[in-house]
């Protein structure tokens, strides 16, 4: 009940191609957070093993006319940043910097087949130091 078919698209940085596969998702209707551009919803991937199902965040545009390409560009950039973080960490032989794995999902059961961004759920308090236009480092404690 409440599940929907979707196509998961992961960006392969090595080949610079998108890998597609069918998934079955459950996305909570009510967001747990809203930004100026997107709302964040808890998401379960019912095609995964039981322990991994309920640990995702679906980022859905608040503007139904948002260009679909924005999601693909965001994921490509995030995966590129993750690769650079891994190279950086190799220099120190430990993980200092990391980026979440992100991917795009096309919701094929919904009108217009919208796309959304997805990341793993990270528990804890989230502090955002910037918005879409400016930087705010009032709480930052690094030199």
């Amino acid at each position: 009940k409440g599940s929907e078919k979707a196509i998961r698209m992961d960006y392969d940085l090595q080949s610079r191609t998108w890998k597609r596969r069918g998934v079955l998702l459950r996305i909570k209707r009510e967001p747990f957070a809203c930004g100026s551009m997107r709302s964040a919803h808890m998401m379960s991937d019912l095609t995964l093993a039981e322990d991994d199902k309920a640990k995702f965040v679906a980022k859905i545009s608040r503007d139904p006319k948002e260009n679909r390409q924005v999601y693909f560009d965001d994921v490509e950039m995030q995966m590129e940043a993750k690769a650079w973080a891994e190279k950086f960490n190799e220099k120190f032989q430990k993980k200092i910097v990391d980026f979440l794995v992100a991917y795009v999902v096309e919701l094929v059961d919904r009108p217009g087949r919208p796309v959304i961004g997805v990341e793993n759920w990270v528990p804890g308090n989230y502090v955002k130091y910037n918005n879409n236009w400016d930087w705010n480092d009032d709480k930052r404690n690094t030199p």
Side-chain angles (χ1 to χ4, degrees):
K1 182 181 175 198
S3 61
E4 59 186 299
K5 294 177 193 168
I7 298 170
R8 176 178 171 161
M9 293 169 270
D10 292 277
Y11 185 65
D12 183 319
L13 188 60
Q14 301 305 317
S15 66
R16 304 234 180 244
T17 60
W18 290 89
K19 309 293 185 189
R20 299 165 52 97
R21 64 183 168 97
V23 291
L24 187 63
L25 306 176
R26 182 172 294 133
I27 301 172
K28 293 223 176 184
R29 186 178 307 264
E30 294 300 317
F32 65 85
C34 287
S36 61
M37 295 176 60
R38 297 186 179 138
S39 57
H41 302 253
M42 291 303 300
M43 185 188 95
S44 302
D45 184 339
L46 304 177
T47 56
L48 297 177
E50 193 64 36
D51 292 345
D52 299 323
K53 285 184 181 176
K55 297 181 182 175
F56 298 93
V57 175
K59 296 181 176 184
I60 301 174
S61 178
R62 297 178 73 192
D63 175 5
K65 295 179 182 156
E66 182 176 33
N67 186 334
R68 296 165 66 92
Q69 187 61 41
V70 169
Y71 286 99
F72 292 93
D73 294 345
D74 286 352
V75 168
E76 282 185 38
M77 178 179 55
Q78 190 154 329
M79 299 316 296
E80 183 79 39
K82 184 169 185 59
W84 281 106
E86 289 168 1
K87 286 180 184 267
F88 178 83
N89 293 337
E90 286 173 10
K91 299 287 184 192
F92 295 94
Q93 299 176 348
K94 63 181 178 177
K95 187 181 282 189
I96 297 171
V97 178
D98 197 10
F99 287 82
L100 295 173
V101 170
Y103 55 92
V104 176
V105 165
E106 182 178 16
L107 302 172
V108 299
D109 287 341
R110 296 190 187 190
R113 297 173 67 120
V115 295
I116 63 172
V118 177
E119 295 176 349
N120 286 344
W121 163 257
V122 178
N125 293 327
Y126 178 72
V127 178
K128 188 168 182 177
Y129 291 102
N130 66 341
N131 58 30
N132 298 315
W133 303 274
D134 199 4
W135 173 262
N136 176 0
D137 66 354
D138 293 344
K139 296 178 183 173
R140 185 175 170 172
N141 65 359
T142 57

